[in-house]
Amino acid sequence: EIVPELVYSFPIFTLDFCALLMEEIRHFYGSKLPARRPNSMNNYGIILNEIGLEPMIFDLQDAVIQPLASVLFPMEGSE
């Protein structure tokens, strides 16, 4: 789906994956460990890299996001 020009929207995760990810986030919150927020305006967000999910996020960026960006935005997404 193309929203406005050069903005793309498409499903990337299954509902099962989303449920598992949310379960992991709830487990982290249940641990009572401190959670750094993405920015001062966000009271509920969490930085996935900081709760042990950095390898998954890196793989997602490397295997999916970067190749897609290089096709959609050849100059900006080429690295």
Side-chain angles (χ1 to χ4, degrees):
E1 169 187 3
I2 301 175
V3 184
E5 185 178 329
L6 298 180
V7 175
Y8 299 87
S9 173
F10 53 91
I12 191 168
F13 300 128
T14 66
L15 291 177
D16 288 341
F17 174 83
C18 292
L20 289 171
L21 179 60
M22 290 306 300
E23 184 178 341
E24 284 300 315
I25 292 170
R26 283 191 289 276
H27 285 169
F28 178 80
Y29 283 141
S31 74
K32 304 297 183 196
L33 290 169
R36 194 163 64 101
R37 303 299 177 197
N39 59 59
S40 62
M41 300 292 291
N42 190 327
N43 293 326
Y44 303 102
I46 192 162
I47 301 172
L48 297 178
N49 284 1
E50 294 185 1
I51 66 168
L53 297 176
E54 185 172 6
M56 180 196 72
I57 297 299
F58 179 81
D59 288 346
L60 173 69
Q61 291 171 326
D62 196 43
V64 178
I65 304 300
Q66 196 286 319
L68 185 58
S70 69
V71 171
L72 295 174
F73 307 102
M75 291 182 63
E76 299 87 349
S78 64
E79 293 186 27

